[in-house]
Amino acid sequence: MLLIAPSILAADHLNLERDVARMVDAGCDWLHVDVMDAHFVPNLSFSPKTVRCLRRRFPDLTLDVHLMMDNPGKYIDRFAQEGASGITVHVEIPENAAAVLKHIRELGLRAGISLRPGTPVEALIPLLPLCDLALVMTVEPGFGGQHFMPGMVPKLDAIRQAGFSGLIEADGGLGAGNVPLLCEHGLDVAVMGTALFRAENPKDLIDSLKRQAS
Ligand code: DX5
Ligand code: ZN
């Protein structure tokens, strides 16, 4: 069943509680928290305290934390303590990704691995046994509102063909025009920022995407 994860990167950061509540009321399944360190990607975004506040206000909401950071290993414990449900790191990090993934699982959280558009999917395959989720970036990470890169679709097939039984997630430029196609290639979780937060009626969009995926 397709899960919808709004990315708060696209929310009104002055009215985060209002915008997240609107997505919860619209029936979203997860909340995607894009954390950026201005090194791994040329942008800065949220902090562990954002996760703490979200967890306090939305105690039952799955918080899907995506660390677009050079050295995420130093922050796993902190995001776990603040209430993250799952943590995704990138295969391109300069530290030992396998060790970071093992640590995330040791803390009882969902462990995810992600890759930039320019990284061949082969880089991900050896790490899949350590993961519960694989996140395919369908834009260059760092900013919302970019155009979906259809050339990334074969990565979903390759991950499934490698025997991965975990969740496949995609992030970047997702909307009504491409989520149904991604579902045909094994998508389980759709990260959506602009398409959802700009939608006149996000519930209609979520319901429609779930109906088409079923
Ligand atoms: C890129 C971000 C975006 C964001 C989704 O680093 O991760 O992909 O979450 O934003 P939209 O849906 O606007 O592309
Ligand atoms: Zn993300």
Side-chain angles (χ1 to χ4, degrees), residues 7 32-34 66 68 135 137 171 191:
S7 163
H32 189 78
V33 183
D34 279 316
H66 176 194
M68 287 165 271
L135 169 57
M137 290 306 295
D171 178 354
V191 175

Side-chain angles (χ1 to χ4, degrees), residues 7 9 32 34 36 66 68 137 139-146 171-174 191-194:
S7 163
L9 193 69
H32 189 78
D34 279 316
M36 301 175 181
H66 176 194
M68 287 165 271
M137 290 306 295
V139 296
E140 190 59 39
F143 297 90
Q146 300 177 76
D171 178 354
L174 267 56
V191 175
M192 297 170 67
T194 307

Side-chain angles (χ1 to χ4, degrees), residues 95-163:
E95 58 185 323
N96 180 334
V100 176
L101 291 164
K102 285 175 189 160
H103 187 46
I104 295 169
R105 271 187 163 170
E106 281 162 6
L107 296 173
L109 273 61
R110 180 186 300 113
I113 191 74
S114 184
L115 72 172
R116 294 173 182 274
T119 301
V121 70
E122 289 71 23
L124 213 65
I125 306 296
L127 293 169
L128 290 175
L130 302 173
C131 300
D132 308 295
L133 177 143
L135 169 57
V136 176
M137 290 306 295
T138 46
V139 296
E140 190 59 39
F143 297 90
Q146 300 177 76
H147 291 296
F148 172 75
M149 297 169 71
M152 297 299 111
V153 175
K155 287 186 176 180
L156 281 80
D157 299 316
I159 288 166
R160 204 52 94 197
Q161 281 150 22

Side-chain angles (χ1 to χ4, degrees), residues 40 51 55 67 99 104 122 124 130 137 142 151 154 167 172 188 198 200:
F40 186 80
V51 173
R55 176 53 72 218
L67 299 184
I104 295 169
E122 289 71 23
L124 213 65
L130 302 173
M137 290 306 295
L167 294 170
D188 296 302
R198 296 231 182 115
E200 193 69 30

Side-chain angles (χ1 to χ4, degrees), residues 7-48:
S7 163
I8 57 171
L9 193 69
D12 173 351
H13 293 201
L14 273 181
N15 293 285
L16 204 48
E17 179 183 14
R18 179 202 69 189
D19 279 11
V20 172
R22 181 166 172 255
M23 290 300 144
V24 171
D25 293 345
C28 75
D29 299 285
W30 294 4
L31 192 71
H32 189 78
V33 183
D34 279 316
V35 179
M36 301 175 181
D37 67 353
H39 294 277
F40 186 80
V41 293
N43 200 356
L44 268 172
S45 60
F46 301 104
S47 73

